[in-house]
Amino acid sequence: MAGSTEAGTEHVAEDGHEHRSRWPLLAAVGAASLYLSIGLVFVGLDLVPSVVPIVLGGAGAIGLLTGLAGWANEAFIADYLRNRSDGDSDLYATTMILFLVSDVATFSAGFVYYAFIRAGSWPPAHLPPLLGSLVVINTALLLASSVTLHYGHEALEDGNRDRFLGLLGVTLALGVVFLAGQVYEYYEFVAVEGFGIGSGAFGSAFYGLTGLHGLHVALGVLLLAIAFGRALRGHYAPERDTAIRTTSLYWHFVDLVWVFLVVVLYVGAAL
């Protein structure tokens, strides 16, 4: 009797979409550990042994990636394999929005740091020309990727699988090319211009903000790659598009942050 009651409780919990997960907590702890290690590298190496930020950074990166992978699997892939419906689509979309709101605080800290730099002695002693054709091309690529993802999602909702696959693949390719462009930009600045993360306060602000954004783009490319692989296997349909909706929200956010970053950091540095 007790066994059947327990089973019935579990069934009701599933039908009521009750959900508790340890993965978001693991990802949050991992991210906090990673941020702490980065902070120690910049300001705390005289307070703690150098091995401490290395251990914290490694453990934080593993925890963050493991938490995100487990969260994605539990939220999307496992639900699909159990043949569940997308009844929690709005819940997952809202959760993604809340995550992005919290992410605004992370970027805001970097922009506040840059604002303090601009309020001091300006321009810096060594300031290479930041605004060039590569930045313009990279910006155009990222904006185009938002357009292709938007219309790809619309194609999915209209039941046009071929168009959806094509536009999703183009979005993924544009994201990869953007990352390659940012790596090349870093190479030009460091190897040719001699402008690195150690080039004063502005160097730390520039690489901190653009590197943080690049990390977000890399995560977005990973999400797009997973979505594209699942799309090839027919995991999506007009009534089953939660992963595409949430990935689109994340990708559009990353694109918006880049536009703001270009205006403030690249264009602003030239003023």
Side-chain angles (χ1 to χ4, degrees):
M1 183 72 170
S4 57
T5 302
E6 182 179 352
T9 302
E10 292 176 356
H11 180 71
V12 170
E14 285 189 3
D15 286 348
H17 305 296
E18 182 180 338
H19 181 70
R20 294 182 179 88
S21 175
R22 65 184 181 277
W23 298 115
L25 177 61
L26 177 61
V29 172
S33 178
L34 186 59
Y35 290 151
L36 178 59
S37 71
I38 295 173
L40 288 174
V41 167
F42 283 110
V43 300
L45 286 182
D46 56 337
L47 304 176
V48 298
S50 58
V51 70
V52 173
I54 294 176
V55 173
L56 282 175
I62 293 173
L64 176 60
L65 293 175
T66 302
L68 290 174
W71 193 4
N73 175 73
E74 189 175 68
F76 305 123
I77 300 176
D79 276 356
Y80 178 84
L81 295 177
R82 285 194 294 268
N83 199 29
R84 292 186 181 178
S85 65
D86 262 7
D88 285 338
S89 176
D90 291 339
L91 174 62
Y92 286 124
T94 302
T95 303
M96 176 59 77
I97 291 173
L98 292 175
F99 167 75
L100 296 178
V101 169
S102 68
D103 214 24
V104 169
T106 303
F107 281 101
S108 296
F111 284 114
V112 168
Y113 175 59
Y114 173 69
F116 275 105
I117 295 173
R118 287 301 303 261
S121 177
W122 190 266
H126 181 59
L127 181 62
L130 300 179
L131 191 60
S133 58
L134 182 58
V135 177
V136 174
I137 292 172
N138 257 4
T139 303
L141 290 174
L142 211 55
L143 291 177
S145 71
S146 266
V147 174
T148 56
L149 185 57
H150 171 75
Y151 285 105
H153 189 195
E154 281 196 350
L156 173 64
E157 292 178 330
D158 293 338
N160 191 335
R161 183 174 183 273
D162 290 339
R163 180 177 172 82
F164 164 62
L165 283 173
L167 289 173
L168 185 60
V170 170
T171 304
L172 175 59
L174 289 172
V176 172
V177 174
F178 174 88
L179 286 176
Q182 189 167 23
V183 170
Y184 180 74
E185 179 187 58
Y186 280 2
Y187 169 79
E188 286 284 310
F189 284 150
V190 174
V192 179
E193 300 287 347
F195 174 65
I197 194 171
S199 301
F202 179 76
S204 64
F206 176 83
Y207 285 100
L209 282 167
T210 57
L212 179 63
H213 180 267
L215 180 63
H216 280 73
V217 174
L219 177 58
V221 167
L222 177 61
L223 294 175
L224 288 170
I226 294 172
F228 186 66
R230 292 186 60 196
L232 291 174
R233 292 169 174 79
H235 286 193
Y236 301 119
E239 69 282 355
R240 187 186 291 276
D241 66 341
T242 300
I244 302 300
R245 286 182 61 193
T246 51
T247 300
S248 296
L249 286 171
Y250 178 86
W251 193 253
H252 295 323
F253 168 80
V254 168
D255 289 4
L256 181 62
V257 170
W258 175 253
V259 172
F260 187 73
L261 193 152
V262 168
V263 171
V264 173
L265 198 60
Y266 287 84
V267 177
L271 299 178

